[in-house]
Amino acid sequence: MSANYAQTMLEYCLVSGNDWWDVIIGLRPNLIDSVCEKITETFMNKQQLELQQKWLSRFLTIKASLYRCLNTSSANNSGQCKAGDFYTLIMLNAIATTLKSLLRPRDNQENEGPAENLSLLIQNKGNDMQYMKVDTILINLDNKDFCVEPQILQSFQHLHQWIADLTLYLLASLPQQCHHNQFRFPGGGLIFDTKALNTLRELLVIIRFWGLINSGCLPVFTKMENDLDVISLLFKLLSKTVTERLDEKLLDECCLLPNQVLIPHLDLCLKAIGVASPALFTNALPLQFDYFSEPSFLKFTAKTHSIDGAVNCYAGRRIDVVRYVGLGASNQESSNLRSCSRCNAVSLLKPIMRSPATRAWDQRWIKNCLCGGHWRVNTTS
């Protein structure tokens, strides 16, 4: 299969809703980068903004599916890290859309809504030193536009926690990614994405304000000093990362983070299982299979680095891939779990917390996993 033909078929899958699994298994590893560059150029430069917004999540999922088939001998800048970047960006965009949708403009407001006003404020004035403080941003916002019922805020605490943990993860990874040439982590590439960092800044402001309404919705941190304001610190470091040059002073501040607050290790690499994985490119064709038996050549180890000072708080436990809540020990069986057929990630079949506000979030993932794979029920990971 040529790169141009693969590009055409993937673009057809993008707009038609068809699965792209058959296209992936027809590719070879030397074509992955070329195909990704071609579909990116077409999508970003030749499509209208409205269509880009409509298909962005699916577009990122396709690119992630391509890159996670690569597992080079070196963990530096591997396909697994790039795939992790795309999956993290998908989740970040989904959370941002969900949380911002809770902000309701007043009836007499004819211009942009509160979410748009916040974005403009951070983009236009975020470079000023005084606006690198999260409380300064709050002062310049209309508080009435950000008021939400306390019960609704509590139901989204797990998403607030994911945003805070991701910010810690990215900032803690920055020194290693800058000091070591091409030293990368799954999801760590977002620290160099200005748009993603601004999205994180906006969400930290929203979470900060909502914490004044209901403190129970705030992220939980394990701090070395009780009086440390973690959200303010994260917002300041993110602002410096966006607006200033990555100098040694900023890197030193990021190096101090593990000594101030616990840095959670996030598993942002949704490792592929089955045929559409690195096993396809590391074994000679044709591949032979037996019914009801998984061949040993499909197993592989994803080569990724770990962040200095990060702690794996969920070792030996399963995490809901779309809700970021613990699901108990990995060897426990449960009938209320569904697992992905493409990456084996798990999620609750019936959410514990059911409310009108969280129903929209659950409906987003009712058919597919974050990686685009279909759910299967009554299986254990």
Side-chain angles (χ1 to χ4, degrees):
M1 182 184 297
S2 66
N4 290 333
Y5 182 75
Q7 174 195 357
T8 302
M9 295 305 299
L10 289 174
E11 290 173 350
Y12 175 75
C13 293
L14 174 66
V15 299
S16 66
N18 290 345
D19 200 338
W20 52 90
W21 185 87
D22 297 305
V23 182
I24 292 179
I25 64 173
L27 292 173
R28 302 312 299 164
N30 59 319
L31 294 178
I32 297 294
D33 286 321
S34 175
V35 171
C36 287
E37 290 175 0
K38 288 178 179 294
I39 62 175
T40 300
E41 180 182 1
T42 302
F43 184 80
M44 301 303 296
N45 299 331
K46 298 183 180 180
Q47 300 298 327
Q48 298 178 356
L49 181 60
E50 295 79 7
L51 292 178
Q52 291 182 22
Q53 294 174 345
K54 178 180 180 180
W55 300 113
L56 178 61
S57 179
R58 190 171 177 85
F59 168 71
L60 294 175
T61 305
I62 291 177
K63 291 185 66 176
S65 300
L66 290 169
Y67 273 120
R68 74 175 180 176
C69 288
L70 298 178
N71 195 35
T72 57
S73 58
S74 172
N76 296 337
N77 204 23
S78 70
Q80 302 298 317
C81 294
K82 291 183 179 180
D85 292 346
F86 292 126
Y87 288 135
T88 306
L89 188 57
I90 293 170
M91 179 62 79
L92 176 61
N93 290 337
I95 293 177
T97 301
T98 301
L99 297 186
K100 289 181 179 180
S101 67
L102 300 177
L103 306 178
R104 304 296 184 184
R106 287 168 290 175
D107 296 335
N108 59 353
Q109 193 168 357
E110 299 179 356
N111 298 325
E112 292 84 357
E116 290 76 12
N117 291 333
L118 174 59
S119 299
L120 290 175
L121 178 62
I122 289 182
Q123 292 174 11
N124 296 335
K125 296 185 178 181
N127 296 344
D128 299 341
M129 288 296 297
Q130 60 177 341
Y131 285 93
M132 291 187 182
K133 298 180 180 180
V134 64
D135 292 332
T136 304
I137 300 291
L138 291 179
I139 295 174
N140 287 270
L141 296 174
D142 192 338
N143 296 341
K144 296 180 180 179
D145 292 337
F146 289 82
C147 291
V148 181
E149 291 79 1
Q151 295 80 5
I152 295 179
L153 300 181
Q154 182 66 48
S155 63
F156 285 107
Q157 193 277 336
H158 57 288
L159 299 185
H160 301 168
Q161 188 69 52
W162 189 88
I163 292 297
D165 289 350
L166 175 64
T167 307
L168 285 169
Y169 176 87
L170 293 178
L171 290 172
S173 72
L174 184 59
Q176 285 177 268
Q177 297 194 74
C178 291
H179 287 153
H180 301 276
N181 186 29
Q182 298 298 316
F183 205 89
R184 295 293 179 260
F185 306 90
L190 267 64
I191 195 65
F192 304 107
D193 186 341
T194 301
K195 186 176 180 180
L197 295 183
N198 280 333
T199 300
L200 284 173
R201 294 166 73 192
E202 295 169 18
L203 294 179
L204 287 178
V205 172
I206 294 174
I207 293 171
R208 176 72 159 204
F209 183 86
W210 286 349
L212 302 176
I213 301 175
N214 182 0
S215 60
C217 75
L218 288 173
V220 178
F221 302 102
T222 302
K223 301 180 290 186
M224 309 306 170
E225 300 177 3
N226 292 330
D227 58 346
L228 178 64
D229 189 345
V230 180
I231 292 182
S232 294
L233 176 61
L234 296 181
F235 186 86
K236 182 187 71 173
L237 293 178
L238 279 179
S239 300
K240 289 184 176 181
T241 305
V242 172
T243 60
E244 298 180 3
R245 188 170 58 89
L246 298 179
D247 55 11
E248 289 299 325
K249 182 179 179 181
L250 174 59
L251 297 181
D252 289 342
E253 291 185 73
C254 293
C255 285
L256 290 175
L257 270 179
N259 298 323
Q260 298 173 302
V261 60
L262 185 142
I263 308 296
H265 172 75
L266 299 183
D267 187 8
L268 301 174
C269 180
L270 298 180
K271 189 182 75 170
I273 61 173
V275 180
S277 69
L280 176 65
F281 297 149
T282 56
N283 294 279
L285 299 177
L287 303 178
Q288 297 183 357
F289 299 90
D290 294 327
Y291 282 108
F292 309 110
S293 176
E294 181 181 0
S296 59
F297 60 76
L298 286 183
K299 299 179 181 179
F300 71 98
T301 302
K303 301 177 177 64
T304 57
H305 293 293
S306 59
I307 297 176
D308 292 342
V311 178
N312 189 358
C313 304
Y314 295 99
R317 292 188 289 171
R318 293 174 294 194
I319 303 298
D320 192 315
V321 69
V322 298
R323 298 184 183 90
Y324 194 56
V325 294
L327 300 177
S330 57
N331 57 356
Q332 290 181 345
E333 297 185 5
S334 174
S335 59
N336 191 30
L337 287 182
R338 56 185 179 180
S339 62
C340 176
S341 59
R342 298 283 171 86
C343 69
N344 218 27
V346 294
S347 176
L348 286 174
L349 186 61
K350 297 180 180 179
I352 299 176
M353 183 178 297
R354 302 182 65 89
S355 67
T358 58
R359 190 172 296 118
W361 177 259
D362 295 332
Q363 288 292 322
R364 176 186 287 268
W365 314 104
I366 193 170
K367 290 185 178 180
N368 300 97
C369 170
L370 181 64
C371 74
H374 295 287
W375 297 111
R376 57 188 178 192
V377 187
N378 294 330
T379 60
T380 57
S381 59

